[in-house]
Amino acid sequence: MRHAWMSAIALVLFALLSAAQDEDLSKVEMKVIKVSGNVYMLQGAGGNIGASVGEDGIVIVDDEFAPLADKIRAALKGITDKPVRFVINTHWHFDHTGGNEPFGSTSTVIAQDNVRKRLITGGTMGNYGSAKMDIKPA
């Protein structure tokens, strides 16, 4: 029974991720939510982005999809004119690391060693059964 529920949840999750991947990202609007003090959350498409504004710049946690990089930067400009100095990848999924290339040209991207390895090699996302998606190396 538990396996059936997990498979059902995985299928729904991958359907949503596939839809997000096929979504017209030009229509996505970035929503900025102040969490507390100098900490914010940005919502767009894919995983949410955490942002912490410091004296010398911004640290963001995850960076969604590459085509949204300019929209993310614009949303952050509504908070501060300071640059994004660091991007922290929580894990290797494309909806959390897709913006690494555009942000990486002006920021330092930080991740655990296994995240870096997985981004370089690509791999299969899913439960290795009924739900799976092959991800190309980044």
Side-chain angles (χ1 to χ4, degrees):
M1 180 73 165
R2 182 170 184 229
H3 180 70
W5 275 106
M6 294 302 280
S7 293
I9 290 169
L11 285 172
V12 169
L13 195 92
F14 281 99
L16 292 172
L17 287 174
S18 296
Q21 201 173 25
D22 295 334
E23 181 180 354
D24 181 358
L25 297 176
S26 68
K27 297 178 182 176
V28 172
E29 293 182 28
M30 297 304 299
K31 181 178 178 182
V32 177
I33 301 166
K34 185 170 185 160
V35 176
S36 180
N38 62 346
V39 177
Y40 299 83
M41 180 178 72
L42 281 67
Q43 293 178 323
N48 293 327
I49 298 171
S52 177
V53 180
E55 290 182 22
D56 61 345
I58 306 169
V59 174
I60 62 173
V61 179
D62 293 334
D63 52 24
E64 291 196 358
F65 301 103
L68 295 177
D70 288 339
K71 290 183 179 201
I72 294 165
R73 285 188 182 103
L76 292 169
K77 287 286 182 199
I79 299 168
T80 181
D81 61 351
K82 296 177 183 191
V84 174
R85 300 285 307 270
F86 298 96
V87 175
I88 299 172
N89 291 154
T90 59
H91 62 289
W92 70 285
H93 292 165
F94 60 90
D95 61 323
H96 293 260
T97 61
N100 281 358
E101 187 174 341
F103 281 103
S105 63
T106 58
S107 310
T108 300
V109 178
I110 301 168
Q112 196 265 352
D113 285 341
N114 288 330
V115 173
R116 181 179 179 276
K117 289 176 191 172
R118 198 69 180 259
L119 287 168
I120 290 170
T121 61
T124 302
M125 233 172 56
N127 67 4
Y128 300 98
S130 59
K132 80 175 199 180
M133 180 183 292
D134 290 324
I135 306 297
K136 293 180 172 54

